[in-house]
Amino acid sequence: MDAYLPMIQSILLDWYQLTVANPEYAGAVAIAVWLLTSIFYSIRIYFLKKANAALVKMRLGLQADLEAAQQQVQSSQAELAASVQQLAEVQTAAEASAQRAAGLEEQVVAGNRQLIDSIKLWPTSSN
């Protein structure tokens, strides 16, 4: 590197002298640097905008999926509430049927006792 240092310094000195001697050259270099920089930044911004658009699209899709899932949850909760109410009604009806069945069973048992008592008394009353 030390061997090339004097050569690099002389090239830079020649460019400096060329730039100082020709202001149009300096302006052309400045414009060229500005154009290249703006081109590279516009390319970079293009890819950033493209990535941002993809992220926004993905976010909107996820948000729509979330809203659909929330609506499903709400409809499932409504169905669950209706099922719970229907279950309560069925349980109430089952309890009423069980009570009616118990009452009928008591009547049948009472009727059977009366029949048994009548049968027991029948042989004694026919003599």
Side-chain angles (χ1 to χ4, degrees), residues 91-123:
Q91 284 178 341
T92 304
E95 288 174 1
S97 295
Q99 287 178 354
R100 198 172 86 224
L104 290 174
E105 185 180 358
E106 288 176 10
Q107 288 178 355
V108 167
V109 168
N112 285 343
R113 284 190 187 140
Q114 285 179 353
L115 181 64
I116 291 171
D117 291 341
S118 297
I119 292 174
K120 285 181 183 176
L121 292 177
W122 181 57

Side-chain angles (χ1 to χ4, degrees), residues 51-62:
N52 188 34
L55 288 174
V56 166
K57 185 177 178 181
M58 187 185 312
R59 183 182 61 88
L60 291 175
L62 290 174

